[in-house]
mmCIF file of all heavy atoms in Angstrom:
data_model
loop_
_atom_site.group_PDB
_atom_site.id
_atom_site.type_symbol
_atom_site.label_atom_id
_atom_site.label_comp_id
_atom_site.label_asym_id
_atom_site.label_seq_id
_atom_site.Cartn_x
_atom_site.Cartn_y
_atom_site.Cartn_z
ATOM 1 N N ILE A 21 57.879 -41.516 -142.303
ATOM 2 C CA ILE A 21 56.534 -42.058 -142.607
ATOM 3 C C ILE A 21 55.424 -41.127 -142.157
ATOM 4 O O ILE A 21 54.393 -40.974 -142.863
ATOM 5 C CB ILE A 21 56.365 -43.506 -141.981
ATOM 6 C CG1 ILE A 21 57.386 -44.428 -142.586
ATOM 7 C CG2 ILE A 21 54.952 -43.992 -142.181
ATOM 8 C CD1 ILE A 21 57.409 -45.803 -141.939
ATOM 9 N N PHE A 24 54.816 -38.468 -144.619
ATOM 10 C CA PHE A 24 54.241 -39.093 -145.852
ATOM 11 C C PHE A 24 52.783 -39.448 -145.672
ATOM 12 O O PHE A 24 51.983 -39.260 -146.551
ATOM 13 C CB PHE A 24 55.044 -40.298 -146.275
ATOM 14 C CG PHE A 24 54.494 -40.992 -147.491
ATOM 15 C CD1 PHE A 24 54.524 -40.391 -148.716
ATOM 16 C CD2 PHE A 24 53.924 -42.275 -147.375
ATOM 17 C CE1 PHE A 24 53.976 -40.993 -149.843
ATOM 18 C CE2 PHE A 24 53.376 -42.894 -148.468
ATOM 19 C CZ PHE A 24 53.442 -42.250 -149.713
ATOM 20 N N SER A 45 55.877 -39.761 -153.395
ATOM 21 C CA SER A 45 55.527 -41.137 -153.045
ATOM 22 C C SER A 45 56.456 -42.171 -153.726
ATOM 23 O O SER A 45 56.722 -43.210 -153.140
ATOM 24 C CB SER A 45 54.067 -41.418 -153.453
ATOM 25 O OG SER A 45 53.935 -41.511 -154.858
ATOM 26 N N MET A 48 59.279 -43.375 -151.786
ATOM 27 C CA MET A 48 58.827 -44.210 -150.669
ATOM 28 C C MET A 48 58.433 -45.603 -151.099
ATOM 29 O O MET A 48 58.083 -46.450 -150.277
ATOM 30 C CB MET A 48 57.678 -43.536 -149.914
ATOM 31 C CG MET A 48 57.980 -42.151 -149.424
ATOM 32 S SD MET A 48 59.265 -42.089 -148.142
ATOM 33 C CE MET A 48 58.380 -42.664 -146.738
ATOM 34 N N GLY A 49 58.422 -45.846 -152.434
ATOM 35 C CA GLY A 49 58.010 -47.146 -152.959
ATOM 36 C C GLY A 49 56.500 -47.273 -153.024
ATOM 37 O O GLY A 49 55.985 -48.393 -152.995
ATOM 38 N N VAL A 50 55.809 -46.157 -153.134
ATOM 39 C CA VAL A 50 54.325 -46.130 -153.149
ATOM 40 C C VAL A 50 53.827 -45.340 -154.350
ATOM 41 O O VAL A 50 54.401 -44.311 -154.696
ATOM 42 C CB VAL A 50 53.781 -45.532 -151.833
ATOM 43 C CG1 VAL A 50 52.255 -45.381 -151.889
ATOM 44 C CG2 VAL A 50 54.184 -46.351 -150.605
ATOM 45 N N TYR A 51 52.788 -45.848 -154.985
ATOM 46 C CA TYR A 51 52.131 -45.095 -156.056
ATOM 47 C C TYR A 51 50.620 -45.150 -155.883
ATOM 48 O O TYR A 51 50.095 -46.186 -155.454
ATOM 49 C CB TYR A 51 52.503 -45.678 -157.442
ATOM 50 C CG TYR A 51 53.877 -45.342 -157.894
ATOM 51 C CD1 TYR A 51 54.911 -46.315 -157.801
ATOM 52 C CD2 TYR A 51 54.216 -44.080 -158.376
ATOM 53 C CE1 TYR A 51 56.176 -45.999 -158.184
ATOM 54 C CE2 TYR A 51 55.522 -43.790 -158.793
ATOM 55 C CZ TYR A 51 56.497 -44.734 -158.709
ATOM 56 O OH TYR A 51 57.773 -44.469 -159.093
ATOM 57 N N ALA A 52 49.967 -44.039 -156.187
ATOM 58 C CA ALA A 52 48.510 -44.025 -156.257
ATOM 59 C C ALA A 52 48.078 -44.806 -157.491
ATOM 60 O O ALA A 52 48.666 -44.704 -158.558
ATOM 61 C CB ALA A 52 47.987 -42.604 -156.279
ATOM 62 N N GLN A 53 47.052 -45.611 -157.333
ATOM 63 C CA GLN A 53 46.479 -46.307 -158.468
ATOM 64 C C GLN A 53 45.532 -45.431 -159.252
ATOM 65 O O GLN A 53 45.159 -44.332 -158.758
ATOM 66 C CB GLN A 53 45.775 -47.590 -157.990
ATOM 67 C CG GLN A 53 46.711 -48.616 -157.365
ATOM 68 C CD GLN A 53 46.052 -49.820 -156.804
ATOM 69 O OE1 GLN A 53 46.641 -50.591 -156.053
ATOM 70 N NE2 GLN A 53 44.771 -50.093 -157.158
ATOM 71 N N ASN A 58 42.994 -45.687 -154.161
ATOM 72 C CA ASN A 58 43.787 -46.825 -153.635
ATOM 73 C C ASN A 58 45.250 -46.669 -154.011
ATOM 74 O O ASN A 58 45.602 -45.932 -154.892
ATOM 75 C CB ASN A 58 43.223 -48.146 -154.200
ATOM 76 C CG ASN A 58 41.830 -48.435 -153.679
ATOM 77 O OD1 ASN A 58 41.505 -48.177 -152.509
ATOM 78 N ND2 ASN A 58 40.984 -48.978 -154.524
ATOM 79 N N PHE A 59 46.073 -47.475 -153.286
ATOM 80 C CA PHE A 59 47.530 -47.308 -153.432
ATOM 81 C C PHE A 59 48.198 -48.666 -153.595
ATOM 82 O O PHE A 59 47.680 -49.717 -153.178
ATOM 83 C CB PHE A 59 48.121 -46.604 -152.212
ATOM 84 C CG PHE A 59 47.527 -45.243 -152.002
ATOM 85 C CD1 PHE A 59 46.339 -45.046 -151.331
ATOM 86 C CD2 PHE A 59 48.198 -44.090 -152.514
ATOM 87 C CE1 PHE A 59 45.789 -43.778 -151.141
ATOM 88 C CE2 PHE A 59 47.629 -42.835 -152.378
ATOM 89 C CZ PHE A 59 46.438 -42.691 -151.659
ATOM 90 N N MET A 60 49.356 -48.627 -154.209
ATOM 91 C CA MET A 60 50.265 -49.759 -154.376
ATOM 92 C C MET A 60 51.514 -49.492 -153.568
ATOM 93 O O MET A 60 52.039 -48.398 -153.594
ATOM 94 C CB MET A 60 50.563 -50.006 -155.832
ATOM 95 C CG MET A 60 51.622 -51.107 -156.073
ATOM 96 S SD MET A 60 53.375 -50.524 -155.971
ATOM 97 C CE MET A 60 53.517 -49.626 -157.501
ATOM 98 N N ILE A 61 52.021 -50.553 -152.902
ATOM 99 C CA ILE A 61 53.356 -50.465 -152.291
ATOM 100 C C ILE A 61 54.233 -51.542 -152.850
ATOM 101 O O ILE A 61 53.828 -52.675 -153.025
ATOM 102 C CB ILE A 61 53.245 -50.546 -150.745
ATOM 103 C CG1 ILE A 61 54.618 -50.289 -150.080
ATOM 104 C CG2 ILE A 61 52.700 -51.901 -150.259
ATOM 105 C CD1 ILE A 61 54.512 -50.029 -148.605
ATOM 106 N N ARG A 62 55.498 -51.151 -153.163
ATOM 107 C CA ARG A 62 56.439 -52.083 -153.718
ATOM 108 C C ARG A 62 57.467 -52.459 -152.673
ATOM 109 O O ARG A 62 58.242 -51.645 -152.245
ATOM 110 C CB ARG A 62 57.140 -51.436 -154.937
ATOM 111 C CG ARG A 62 58.126 -52.299 -155.683
ATOM 112 C CD ARG A 62 58.649 -51.554 -156.921
ATOM 113 N NE ARG A 62 57.592 -51.305 -157.880
ATOM 114 C CZ ARG A 62 57.539 -50.233 -158.668
ATOM 115 N NH1 ARG A 62 58.453 -49.272 -158.533
ATOM 116 N NH2 ARG A 62 56.551 -50.075 -159.510
ATOM 117 N N LEU A 63 57.437 -53.750 -152.309
ATOM 118 C CA LEU A 63 58.407 -54.254 -151.315
ATOM 119 C C LEU A 63 59.690 -54.558 -152.046
ATOM 120 O O LEU A 63 59.743 -55.341 -152.968
ATOM 121 C CB LEU A 63 57.868 -55.532 -150.656
ATOM 122 C CG LEU A 63 56.503 -55.339 -149.919
ATOM 123 C CD1 LEU A 63 55.978 -56.678 -149.444
ATOM 124 C CD2 LEU A 63 56.639 -54.364 -148.785
ATOM 125 N N ARG A 64 60.758 -53.987 -151.569
ATOM 126 C CA ARG A 64 62.024 -54.015 -152.262
ATOM 127 C C ARG A 64 62.742 -55.345 -151.906
ATOM 128 O O ARG A 64 63.778 -55.336 -151.194
ATOM 129 C CB ARG A 64 62.843 -52.795 -151.923
ATOM 130 C CG ARG A 64 64.057 -52.563 -152.805
ATOM 131 C CD ARG A 64 64.710 -51.260 -152.417
ATOM 132 N NE ARG A 64 65.957 -51.086 -153.115
ATOM 133 C CZ ARG A 64 66.282 -49.998 -153.813
ATOM 134 N NH1 ARG A 64 65.441 -49.003 -153.934
ATOM 135 N NH2 ARG A 64 67.449 -49.913 -154.419
ATOM 136 N N PHE A 81 50.744 -59.704 -144.066
ATOM 137 C CA PHE A 81 50.107 -58.525 -144.725
ATOM 138 C C PHE A 81 48.882 -58.876 -145.531
ATOM 139 O O PHE A 81 47.871 -58.212 -145.473
ATOM 140 C CB PHE A 81 51.149 -57.816 -145.632
ATOM 141 C CG PHE A 81 52.299 -57.188 -144.913
ATOM 142 C CD1 PHE A 81 53.535 -57.091 -145.526
ATOM 143 C CD2 PHE A 81 52.134 -56.629 -143.660
ATOM 144 C CE1 PHE A 81 54.623 -56.476 -144.915
ATOM 145 C CE2 PHE A 81 53.197 -56.023 -143.027
ATOM 146 C CZ PHE A 81 54.400 -55.948 -143.635
ATOM 147 N N TYR A 85 45.405 -57.075 -144.333
ATOM 148 C CA TYR A 85 44.864 -56.044 -145.179
ATOM 149 C C TYR A 85 44.012 -56.583 -146.287
ATOM 150 O O TYR A 85 43.691 -55.850 -147.244
ATOM 151 C CB TYR A 85 46.016 -55.209 -145.723
ATOM 152 C CG TYR A 85 46.836 -54.560 -144.644
ATOM 153 C CD1 TYR A 85 48.062 -55.112 -144.279
ATOM 154 C CD2 TYR A 85 46.372 -53.445 -143.937
ATOM 155 C CE1 TYR A 85 48.806 -54.522 -143.256
ATOM 156 C CE2 TYR A 85 47.119 -52.874 -142.929
ATOM 157 C CZ TYR A 85 48.341 -53.419 -142.572
ATOM 158 O OH TYR A 85 49.082 -52.851 -141.571
ATOM 159 N N ILE A 87 44.413 -58.604 -148.765
ATOM 160 C CA ILE A 87 45.021 -58.538 -150.117
ATOM 161 C C ILE A 87 44.740 -59.857 -150.808
ATOM 162 O O ILE A 87 45.194 -60.929 -150.369
ATOM 163 C CB ILE A 87 46.516 -58.258 -149.966
ATOM 164 C CG1 ILE A 87 46.755 -56.917 -149.292
ATOM 165 C CG2 ILE A 87 47.169 -58.293 -151.359
ATOM 166 C CD1 ILE A 87 48.161 -56.644 -148.890
ATOM 167 N N LEU A 90 49.154 -60.938 -154.895
ATOM 168 C CA LEU A 90 50.291 -60.074 -154.964
ATOM 169 C C LEU A 90 50.914 -60.173 -156.370
ATOM 170 O O LEU A 90 50.763 -61.178 -157.054
ATOM 171 C CB LEU A 90 51.338 -60.443 -153.869
ATOM 172 C CG LEU A 90 51.715 -61.871 -153.664
ATOM 173 C CD1 LEU A 90 52.894 -62.224 -154.540
ATOM 174 C CD2 LEU A 90 52.042 -62.118 -152.225
ATOM 175 N N HIS A 91 51.556 -59.116 -156.787
ATOM 176 C CA HIS A 91 52.085 -59.019 -158.126
ATOM 177 C C HIS A 91 53.612 -59.207 -158.086
ATOM 178 O O HIS A 91 54.296 -58.503 -157.354
ATOM 179 C CB HIS A 91 51.720 -57.711 -158.792
ATOM 180 C CG HIS A 91 52.209 -57.605 -160.214
ATOM 181 N ND1 HIS A 91 51.745 -58.467 -161.217
ATOM 182 C CD2 HIS A 91 53.105 -56.785 -160.814
ATOM 183 C CE1 HIS A 91 52.349 -58.162 -162.335
ATOM 184 N NE2 HIS A 91 53.173 -57.121 -162.138
ATOM 185 N N THR A 93 56.961 -58.598 -159.859
ATOM 186 C CA THR A 93 57.329 -57.607 -160.886
ATOM 187 C C THR A 93 58.505 -58.086 -161.720
ATOM 188 O O THR A 93 59.249 -59.000 -161.368
ATOM 189 C CB THR A 93 57.697 -56.246 -160.252
ATOM 190 O OG1 THR A 93 59.046 -56.296 -159.737
ATOM 191 C CG2 THR A 93 56.708 -55.926 -159.122
ATOM 192 N N ALA A 97 60.642 -57.708 -157.637
ATOM 193 C CA ALA A 97 60.079 -57.235 -156.367
ATOM 194 C C ALA A 97 58.624 -57.732 -156.228
ATOM 195 O O ALA A 97 58.096 -58.382 -157.130
ATOM 196 C CB ALA A 97 60.110 -55.682 -156.335
ATOM 197 N N VAL A 98 58.043 -57.378 -155.082
ATOM 198 C CA VAL A 98 56.647 -57.769 -154.807
ATOM 199 C C VAL A 98 55.828 -56.497 -154.654
ATOM 200 O O VAL A 98 56.209 -55.576 -153.882
ATOM 201 C CB VAL A 98 56.533 -58.602 -153.501
ATOM 202 C CG1 VAL A 98 55.083 -58.841 -153.136
ATOM 203 C CG2 VAL A 98 57.220 -59.979 -153.731
ATOM 204 N N GLN A 99 54.695 -56.433 -155.367
ATOM 205 C CA GLN A 99 53.798 -55.320 -155.208
ATOM 206 C C GLN A 99 52.488 -55.747 -154.560
ATOM 207 O O GLN A 99 51.923 -56.792 -154.914
ATOM 208 C CB GLN A 99 53.472 -54.670 -156.564
ATOM 209 C CG GLN A 99 54.643 -53.912 -157.144
ATOM 210 C CD GLN A 99 54.364 -53.259 -158.529
ATOM 211 O OE1 GLN A 99 55.252 -52.679 -159.092
ATOM 212 N NE2 GLN A 99 53.148 -53.372 -158.979
ATOM 213 N N LEU A 100 52.015 -54.932 -153.638
ATOM 214 C CA LEU A 100 50.733 -55.145 -152.968
ATOM 215 C C LEU A 100 49.807 -54.013 -153.365
ATOM 216 O O LEU A 100 50.178 -52.844 -153.289
ATOM 217 C CB LEU A 100 50.899 -55.179 -151.448
ATOM 218 C CG LEU A 100 51.926 -56.172 -150.907
ATOM 219 C CD1 LEU A 100 52.017 -56.044 -149.389
ATOM 220 C CD2 LEU A 100 51.615 -57.578 -151.329
ATOM 221 N N HIS A 101 48.609 -54.364 -153.872
ATOM 222 C CA HIS A 101 47.705 -53.370 -154.458
ATOM 223 C C HIS A 101 46.419 -53.204 -153.633
ATOM 224 O O HIS A 101 46.116 -53.956 -152.740
ATOM 225 C CB HIS A 101 47.378 -53.812 -155.851
ATOM 226 C CG HIS A 101 48.488 -53.671 -156.853
ATOM 227 N ND1 HIS A 101 48.675 -52.563 -157.620
ATOM 228 C CD2 HIS A 101 49.514 -54.528 -157.136
ATOM 229 C CE1 HIS A 101 49.758 -52.707 -158.335
ATOM 230 N NE2 HIS A 101 50.295 -53.906 -158.104
ATOM 231 N N ASP A 102 45.683 -52.169 -154.064
ATOM 232 C CA ASP A 102 44.336 -51.895 -153.537
ATOM 233 C C ASP A 102 44.336 -51.619 -152.030
ATOM 234 O O ASP A 102 43.526 -52.151 -151.278
ATOM 235 C CB ASP A 102 43.358 -53.009 -153.880
ATOM 236 C CG ASP A 102 43.228 -53.238 -155.376
ATOM 237 O OD1 ASP A 102 43.222 -52.225 -156.139
ATOM 238 O OD2 ASP A 102 43.192 -54.381 -155.821
ATOM 239 N N LEU A 103 45.283 -50.795 -151.609
ATOM 240 C CA LEU A 103 45.462 -50.489 -150.198
ATOM 241 C C LEU A 103 45.076 -49.022 -149.916
ATOM 242 O O LEU A 103 45.101 -48.166 -150.772
ATOM 243 C CB LEU A 103 46.911 -50.727 -149.764
ATOM 244 C CG LEU A 103 47.369 -52.182 -149.836
ATOM 245 C CD1 LEU A 103 48.888 -52.244 -149.860
ATOM 246 C CD2 LEU A 103 46.824 -52.977 -148.692
ATOM 247 N N GLY A 104 44.735 -48.719 -148.666
ATOM 248 C CA GLY A 104 44.512 -47.369 -148.235
ATOM 249 C C GLY A 104 45.871 -46.698 -147.866
ATOM 250 O O GLY A 104 46.853 -47.360 -147.730
ATOM 251 N N ILE A 105 45.863 -45.405 -147.744
ATOM 252 C CA ILE A 105 47.106 -44.694 -147.427
ATOM 253 C C ILE A 105 47.607 -45.109 -146.039
ATOM 254 O O ILE A 105 48.849 -45.255 -145.886
ATOM 255 C CB ILE A 105 46.918 -43.181 -147.533
ATOM 256 C CG1 ILE A 105 48.291 -42.465 -147.390
ATOM 257 C CG2 ILE A 105 45.943 -42.646 -146.493
ATOM 258 C CD1 ILE A 105 49.285 -42.837 -148.501
ATOM 259 N N ASP A 106 46.726 -45.292 -145.049
ATOM 260 C CA ASP A 106 47.223 -45.761 -143.749
ATOM 261 C C ASP A 106 47.756 -47.178 -143.812
ATOM 262 O O ASP A 106 48.703 -47.544 -143.117
ATOM 263 C CB ASP A 106 46.112 -45.623 -142.714
ATOM 264 C CG ASP A 106 45.773 -44.192 -142.393
ATOM 265 O OD1 ASP A 106 46.701 -43.387 -142.194
ATOM 266 O OD2 ASP A 106 44.572 -43.845 -142.387
ATOM 267 N N ASP A 107 47.133 -47.973 -144.673
ATOM 268 C CA ASP A 107 47.660 -49.377 -144.845
ATOM 269 C C ASP A 107 49.090 -49.362 -145.341
ATOM 270 O O ASP A 107 49.940 -50.074 -144.777
ATOM 271 C CB ASP A 107 46.755 -50.122 -145.843
ATOM 272 C CG ASP A 107 45.353 -50.282 -145.394
ATOM 273 O OD1 ASP A 107 45.063 -50.169 -144.173
ATOM 274 O OD2 ASP A 107 44.445 -50.493 -146.266
ATOM 275 N N VAL A 108 49.374 -48.572 -146.401
ATOM 276 C CA VAL A 108 50.732 -48.640 -146.944
ATOM 277 C C VAL A 108 51.738 -48.072 -145.952
ATOM 278 O O VAL A 108 52.883 -48.561 -145.840
ATOM 279 C CB VAL A 108 50.845 -47.879 -148.314
ATOM 280 C CG1 VAL A 108 50.006 -48.583 -149.368
ATOM 281 C CG2 VAL A 108 50.484 -46.435 -148.187
ATOM 282 N N CYS A 109 51.329 -47.047 -145.191
ATOM 283 C CA CYS A 109 52.222 -46.526 -144.169
ATOM 284 C C CYS A 109 52.519 -47.523 -143.081
ATOM 285 O O CYS A 109 53.634 -47.687 -142.595
ATOM 286 C CB CYS A 109 51.680 -45.215 -143.614
ATOM 287 S SG CYS A 109 51.681 -43.855 -144.815
ATOM 288 N N ASP A 110 51.478 -48.220 -142.684
ATOM 289 C CA ASP A 110 51.644 -49.279 -141.603
ATOM 290 C C ASP A 110 52.501 -50.424 -142.108
ATOM 291 O O ASP A 110 53.366 -50.942 -141.395
ATOM 292 C CB ASP A 110 50.285 -49.764 -141.148
ATOM 293 C CG ASP A 110 49.496 -48.724 -140.378
ATOM 294 O OD1 ASP A 110 50.114 -47.726 -139.951
ATOM 295 O OD2 ASP A 110 48.279 -48.914 -140.190
ATOM 296 N N ILE A 111 52.276 -50.812 -143.353
ATOM 297 C CA ILE A 111 53.104 -51.886 -143.990
ATOM 298 C C ILE A 111 54.539 -51.456 -144.067
ATOM 299 O O ILE A 111 55.473 -52.227 -143.774
ATOM 300 C CB ILE A 111 52.540 -52.253 -145.389
ATOM 301 C CG1 ILE A 111 51.239 -53.031 -145.223
ATOM 302 C CG2 ILE A 111 53.546 -53.093 -146.151
ATOM 303 C CD1 ILE A 111 50.502 -53.256 -146.539
ATOM 304 N N MET A 112 54.750 -50.234 -144.452
ATOM 305 C CA MET A 112 56.111 -49.706 -144.589
ATOM 306 C C MET A 112 56.818 -49.759 -143.249
ATOM 307 O O MET A 112 57.983 -50.190 -143.139
ATOM 308 C CB MET A 112 56.027 -48.252 -145.051
ATOM 309 C CG MET A 112 57.336 -47.681 -145.639
ATOM 310 S SD MET A 112 57.102 -45.943 -146.100
ATOM 311 C CE MET A 112 55.716 -46.002 -147.244
ATOM 312 N N GLU A 113 56.158 -49.327 -142.193
ATOM 313 C CA GLU A 113 56.749 -49.300 -140.841
ATOM 314 C C GLU A 113 57.062 -50.739 -140.353
ATOM 315 O O GLU A 113 58.155 -50.970 -139.817
ATOM 316 C CB GLU A 113 55.814 -48.577 -139.883
ATOM 317 C CG GLU A 113 56.447 -48.315 -138.515
ATOM 318 C CD GLU A 113 55.700 -47.243 -137.763
ATOM 319 O OE1 GLU A 113 54.597 -46.833 -138.205
ATOM 320 O OE2 GLU A 113 56.197 -46.852 -136.691
ATOM 321 N N THR A 114 56.133 -51.618 -140.488
ATOM 322 C CA THR A 114 56.345 -52.995 -140.075
ATOM 323 C C THR A 114 57.456 -53.664 -140.860
ATOM 324 O O THR A 114 58.267 -54.402 -140.323
ATOM 325 C CB THR A 114 55.054 -53.820 -140.205
ATOM 326 O OG1 THR A 114 54.000 -53.235 -139.454
ATOM 327 C CG2 THR A 114 55.262 -55.237 -139.714
ATOM 328 N N SER A 115 57.529 -53.379 -142.157
ATOM 329 C CA SER A 115 58.557 -53.947 -143.014
ATOM 330 C C SER A 115 59.964 -53.445 -142.572
ATOM 331 O O SER A 115 60.882 -54.253 -142.510
ATOM 332 C CB SER A 115 58.317 -53.549 -144.468
ATOM 333 O OG SER A 115 57.124 -54.128 -144.959
ATOM 334 N N LEU A 120 62.902 -55.251 -144.215
ATOM 335 C CA LEU A 120 62.367 -55.285 -145.566
ATOM 336 C C LEU A 120 61.965 -53.886 -145.917
ATOM 337 O O LEU A 120 61.181 -53.261 -145.201
ATOM 338 C CB LEU A 120 61.187 -56.248 -145.646
ATOM 339 C CG LEU A 120 60.508 -56.400 -146.982
ATOM 340 C CD1 LEU A 120 61.454 -56.954 -148.064
ATOM 341 C CD2 LEU A 120 59.248 -57.301 -146.889
ATOM 342 N N TYR A 121 62.493 -53.377 -147.021
ATOM 343 C CA TYR A 121 62.374 -51.921 -147.277
ATOM 344 C C TYR A 121 61.588 -51.637 -148.527
ATOM 345 O O TYR A 121 61.440 -52.451 -149.430
ATOM 346 C CB TYR A 121 63.777 -51.324 -147.367
ATOM 347 C CG TYR A 121 64.596 -51.525 -146.161
ATOM 348 C CD1 TYR A 121 65.601 -52.509 -146.125
ATOM 349 C CD2 TYR A 121 64.371 -50.818 -144.964
ATOM 350 C CE1 TYR A 121 66.328 -52.737 -145.005
ATOM 351 C CE2 TYR A 121 65.120 -51.072 -143.847
ATOM 352 C CZ TYR A 121 66.133 -52.028 -143.853
ATOM 353 O OH TYR A 121 66.859 -52.261 -142.709
ATOM 354 N N THR A 122 61.038 -50.413 -148.566
ATOM 355 C CA THR A 122 60.337 -49.888 -149.746
ATOM 356 C C THR A 122 61.049 -48.651 -150.293
ATOM 357 O O THR A 122 60.770 -48.263 -151.416
ATOM 358 C CB THR A 122 58.870 -49.598 -149.466
ATOM 359 O OG1 THR A 122 58.839 -48.462 -148.517
ATOM 360 C CG2 THR A 122 58.176 -50.791 -148.825
ATOM 361 N N ARG A 123 61.855 -48.051 -149.470
ATOM 362 C CA ARG A 123 62.520 -46.792 -149.844
ATOM 363 C C ARG A 123 63.255 -46.920 -151.167
ATOM 364 O O ARG A 123 64.053 -47.867 -151.363
ATOM 365 C CB ARG A 123 63.463 -46.351 -148.722
ATOM 366 C CG ARG A 123 63.949 -44.915 -148.823
ATOM 367 C CD ARG A 123 62.767 -43.940 -148.563
ATOM 368 N NE ARG A 123 63.237 -42.597 -148.270
ATOM 369 C CZ ARG A 123 63.532 -41.708 -149.220
ATOM 370 N NH1 ARG A 123 63.384 -41.993 -150.495
ATOM 371 N NH2 ARG A 123 63.933 -40.476 -148.885
ATOM 372 N N GLY A 125 61.956 -47.562 -153.966
ATOM 373 C CA GLY A 125 61.268 -48.546 -154.851
ATOM 374 C C GLY A 125 60.704 -47.921 -156.106
ATOM 375 O O GLY A 125 60.299 -48.594 -157.026
#
Side-chain angles (χ1 to χ4, degrees):
I21 297 175
F24 177 67
S45 72
M48 303 295 283
V50 174
Y51 286 101
Q53 295 176 193
N58 294 321
F59 300 84
M60 173 275 286
I61 187 166
R62 183 176 295 146
L63 302 173
R64 194 175 172 127
F81 291 149
Y85 300 101
I87 298 168
L90 47 90
H91 183 63
T93 80
V98 171
Q99 289 180 183
L100 306 178
H101 288 266
D102 300 321
L103 296 162
I105 189 62
D106 290 313
D107 298 337
V108 296
C109 290
D110 292 345
I111 288 171
M112 198 183 305
E113 188 162 8
T114 303
S115 295
L120 178 61
Y121 303 102
T122 66
R123 194 68 164 86

